[in-house]
Amino acid sequence: MENGAARTAPAVIVAIDGPSGTGKSSTSKAVAAQLGLSYLDTGAQYRAITWWMVSNGIDITDPTAIAAVADKAEIVSGTDPANPTISVDGVDVAGPIRTQEVTSKVSAVSAVPEVRAKITELQRSLAAGAERGIVVEGRDIGTTVLPDADLKIFLTASPEARAARRSGELKGADVQATREALLKRDAADSSRKTSPLAKADDAVEVDTSDLTLQQVIECVVTLVEEKRAAK
């Protein structure tokens, strides 16, 4: 009975936004896997185009130079939550896009409107093609990319909790330095003119500061199941 119900469950589009270090990726992947949905890490797409810009010697401080080549990279995102792949021009970049060099430049590249237009179009086509539904995580999904998403969630956490998590991920990075880097990234992403990091008016806010990852996952799964049942 349960399997039949799962097979016939209506497709649901879930937007999960929030700043770095709130548990977005871990939560989104786990929720998608648990509910049989596709998964898209939109941050990886912005990292991928940033990696391409750096690899091709584009001046990251020049928005005009970035805009001129915004369409050149062919970015392909795999949407299997168990193995989310990302490639640029046929090259697997899952590792290279996580370097500090890319991390430090991604805000500048992703602030360029032409870059956002290209990546947003890519994200919308992936969401539209997800037959069983999809969990899309990023910074402007509920507000800009998928404003008609069935469920919008905004994850937050204190800067201290986020820095502790992120420095743990970065294997012993300095927590204070990590906190300052996160706050700097927040400021850049929240103040950009095109699609800033923001909570959608109809998003459910979940503060993950004092929750374990498992508790956050359970909370989001419940919200998605409620939304799916109401469809």
Side-chain angles (χ1 to χ4, degrees), residues 16 23-35 153 155 206 208 211-225:
I16 300 185
K24 269 201 323 277
S25 292
S26 304
T27 300
S28 300
K29 268 188 278 199
V31 168
Q34 204 167 315
L35 296 174
I153 293 168
L155 295 186
V206 178
T208 69
L211 300 177
T212 63
L213 176 59
Q214 198 49 48
Q215 286 172 322
V216 179
I217 293 165
E218 284 167 12
C219 170
V220 175
V221 164
T222 301
L223 288 167
V224 177
E225 284 179 332

Side-chain angles (χ1 to χ4, degrees), residues 1-163:
M1 177 72 191
E2 226 170 71
N3 287 347
R7 269 200 305 272
T8 55
V12 62
I13 292 179
V14 183
I16 300 185
D17 289 306
S20 304
T22 52
K24 269 201 323 277
S25 292
S26 304
T27 300
S28 300
K29 268 188 278 199
V31 168
Q34 204 167 315
L35 296 174
L37 304 173
S38 295
Y39 159 75
L40 178 60
D41 173 1
T42 64
Q45 295 176 313
Y46 283 106
R47 285 173 172 275
I49 200 166
T50 301
W51 174 85
W52 185 92
M53 299 274 175
V54 171
S55 301
N56 284 277
I58 307 303
D59 182 358
I60 302 300
T61 62
D62 181 355
T64 307
I66 293 171
V69 292
D71 257 343
K72 297 232 183 265
E74 188 193 350
I75 297 167
V76 177
S77 299
T79 57
D80 176 358
N83 182 32
T85 56
I86 181 120
S87 69
V88 180
D89 297 337
V91 178
D92 176 2
V93 293
I97 64 170
R98 301 293 168 185
T99 61
Q100 187 51 45
E101 184 179 23
V102 170
T103 300
S104 65
K105 295 178 165 71
V106 69
S107 284
V109 173
S110 61
V112 176
E114 287 82 356
V115 169
R116 297 207 77 80
K118 174 194 167 75
I119 302 290
T120 296
E121 187 183 341
L122 192 55
Q123 290 160 1
R124 285 177 177 156
S125 67
L126 284 165
E131 290 175 13
R132 293 168 304 170
I134 191 168
V135 178
V136 184
E137 60 134 318
R139 284 169 162 72
D140 66 338
I141 310 307
T143 52
T144 304
V145 180
L146 300 169
D148 298 326
D150 298 301
L151 175 64
K152 300 175 189 177
I153 293 168
F154 194 84
L155 295 186
T156 64
S158 68
E160 290 69 29
R162 292 165 53 207

Side-chain angles (χ1 to χ4, degrees), residues 159-170:
E160 290 69 29
R162 292 165 53 207
R165 279 179 198 148
R166 189 42 63 94
S167 58
E169 289 168 14
L170 299 172

